[in-house]
Amino acid sequence: PPSREALFFHLSALRTRRRPGLARESSPLPDADTSLWTPSLMNEELSLLQRLRQNVIWEYAEALLWAVALALILTTFVVQAFKIPSGSMLETLQIGDHLLVNKFIYGLRNPFNDDYLIRGREPQVGDIIVFRYPKDRSLDYIKRIAGVPGDTLEMRNKVLYRNGVAVQEPYTQHSQPLIMIPGRDNWGPITVPEDKFFALGDNRDDSSDSRFWGFLDRKDIRGLAWRIYWSADGLTNIRLNRIGKLVE
């Protein structure tokens, strides 16, 4: 379609032509009729106005389409928003934290079948990841990786051992420090299989994690928790000190 500037020029020319008494040399059109306004000029002006309106609408629609396409590409391949709905990662992550998740760091996926087109770096111990819950893949969970392929893990009285060495975990908390439950606080040893991971919540006594539903497939890992972009407990308690905080 003609540019907006061209349509404005022609519209200005028509309006010059309909003004009586203007000198011919002031008209931008060589055949300008400076005598009187005529129905034909009115129809031409209305047509130009309509084309100008359509041109503006198309420009806005084109910009909107590009914005939507860019947003889809970003959320599919690069970054995605995630909200913390529960307290399984306290105190590292608070209920009501809104995170940006880096989806590109572990590889570029085919959006139709989740196969890796380009494989990125391997998930590492200590990474806080968002993944599909193995028992219901329509749900997303967030936990911290405690074991990678080949690791031998064991827990004795709430203390995690990796490859026979007690792990220092300053980020964990225990709501029931004196209560020992088999399967939750004492288990193992187990070895993490190839292409599998073992994930635990930081709020160790109140977390549904690999202790209860088993190993996590690499293909179910959606991304690495990156940064908090919003945090609020309800409508009034906005936690400004958490906004922009790196997740680690």
Side-chain angles (χ1 to χ4, degrees):
S3 69
R4 193 188 309 180
E5 290 77 11
L7 291 173
F8 270 124
F9 174 81
H10 289 297
L11 186 59
S12 175
L14 282 174
R15 287 177 174 172
T16 300
R17 291 168 62 185
R18 67 171 179 165
R19 294 174 189 164
L22 284 177
R24 174 178 294 271
E25 54 269 19
S26 68
S27 173
L29 293 182
D31 60 343
D33 180 5
T34 61
S35 57
L36 293 174
W37 174 246
T38 64
S40 63
L41 287 177
M42 181 180 69
N43 290 336
E44 190 173 349
E45 181 173 350
L46 289 174
S47 175
L48 280 172
L49 283 171
Q50 185 178 18
R51 291 168 65 189
L52 178 61
R53 187 180 299 111
Q54 291 173 346
N55 187 277
V56 171
I57 291 174
W58 167 248
E59 288 182 5
Y60 280 111
E62 187 178 28
L64 180 61
L65 287 173
W66 276 110
V68 170
L70 180 60
L72 287 174
I73 291 172
L74 288 175
T75 56
T76 301
F77 299 108
V78 182
V79 69
Q80 187 170 347
F82 182 80
K83 179 183 177 181
I84 302 299
S86 71
S88 70
M89 285 295 291
L90 290 170
E91 291 289 316
T92 305
L93 296 172
Q94 302 292 316
I95 299 172
D97 281 350
H98 293 249
L99 316 176
L100 293 176
V101 177
N102 185 339
K103 301 180 69 175
F104 187 73
I105 191 168
Y106 297 136
L108 182 65
R109 294 175 182 265
N110 183 330
F112 301 104
N113 58 17
D114 270 350
D115 289 342
Y116 282 101
L117 302 174
I118 302 174
R119 202 169 173 110
R121 81 159 173 85
E122 289 299 308
Q124 301 171 0
V125 168
D127 285 357
I128 297 177
I129 57 170
V130 172
F131 56 91
R132 292 188 179 91
Y133 176 43
K135 299 295 185 181
D136 183 354
R137 289 169 55 83
S138 67
L139 300 176
D140 286 338
Y141 272 29
I142 183 166
K143 306 292 177 187
R144 187 186 297 270
I145 293 180
V148 298
D151 282 342
T152 298
L153 303 174
E154 184 178 4
M155 186 166 283
R156 307 175 202 159
N157 296 331
K158 300 184 186 290
V159 178
L160 178 67
Y161 288 78
R162 183 183 303 114
N163 301 320
V165 179
V167 180
Q168 300 300 316
E169 299 181 291
Y171 41 78
T172 61
Q173 72 169 25
H174 296 276
S175 61
Q176 301 172 328
L178 301 179
I179 300 176
M180 303 297 165
I181 300 177
R184 185 190 74 174
D185 305 312
N186 288 281
W187 47 266
I190 58 173
T191 300
V192 182
E194 183 180 358
D195 241 19
K196 305 283 186 179
F197 296 85
F198 196 89
L200 294 172
D202 288 355
N203 189 8
R204 204 53 59 83
D205 294 340
D206 299 283
S207 173
S208 171
D209 48 42
S210 288
R211 293 172 294 178
F212 305 103
W213 39 256
F215 298 111
L216 173 67
D217 287 338
R218 191 191 195 281
K219 67 179 181 180
D220 286 334
I221 298 176
R222 296 173 66 86
L224 175 71
W226 174 44
R227 198 172 290 273
I228 298 170
Y229 70 88
W230 179 255
S231 182
D233 182 13
L235 297 177
T236 56
N237 184 18
I238 299 174
R239 298 180 286 238
L240 295 176
N241 63 316
R242 296 188 62 77
I243 296 176
K245 184 178 180 181
L246 191 67
V247 178
E248 54 187 358

